[in-house]
Amino acid sequence: MSMEDIVFTFEFDDANSNIIANDYLENGWRLLHVGQKTVIDPQSKQMYYTTVYVVGATSQVYESWKEEQFLLREKAARIKEFVKANDNGNF
């Protein structure tokens, strides 16, 4: 696979970025880059470093991911409607 095969990318740089990147890799995404990012905490004004993972998807993997996201949004909408329909003041 070459970089020309990549049609979509994600960058992860939070505390769970390693776990999230690994989940994507297990689903056919490709690791494109691992690096370091400098971040300034807005409250403390302290500078710290975090690890950045960039993953990319081929068109086949990306289309599969989009379908999965669509199904998850449909499921979330059904749950929301159920909660609204059955809300007796507890939510």
Side-chain angles (χ1 to χ4, degrees), residues 1-8 30 56-62:
M1 180 190 72
S2 69
M3 290 296 281
E4 288 82 27
D5 297 328
I6 300 298
V7 298
F8 192 79
R30 301 288 184 227
T58 62
S59 59
Q60 181 181 3
V61 170
Y62 180 54

Side-chain angles (χ1 to χ4, degrees), residues 25-42:
L25 295 175
E26 288 175 8
N27 287 298
W29 293 65
R30 301 288 184 227
L31 184 62
L32 304 178
H33 177 75
V34 177
Q36 205 173 47
K37 187 176 196 177
T38 305
V39 180
I40 298 176
D41 183 282

Side-chain angles (χ1 to χ4, degrees), residues 15-66:
N16 296 317
S17 59
N18 184 296
I19 295 167
I20 296 168
N22 283 330
D23 287 343
Y24 276 81
L25 295 175
E26 288 175 8
N27 287 298
W29 293 65
R30 301 288 184 227
L31 184 62
L32 304 178
H33 177 75
V34 177
Q36 205 173 47
K37 187 176 196 177
T38 305
V39 180
I40 298 176
D41 183 282
Q43 293 179 347
S44 69
K45 306 297 186 219
Q46 294 291 320
M47 183 171 52
Y48 65 94
Y49 301 96
T50 184
T51 302
V52 176
Y53 299 85
V54 178
V55 297
T58 62
S59 59
Q60 181 181 3
V61 170
Y62 180 54
E63 290 303 319
S64 176
W65 176 81
K66 286 195 310 186

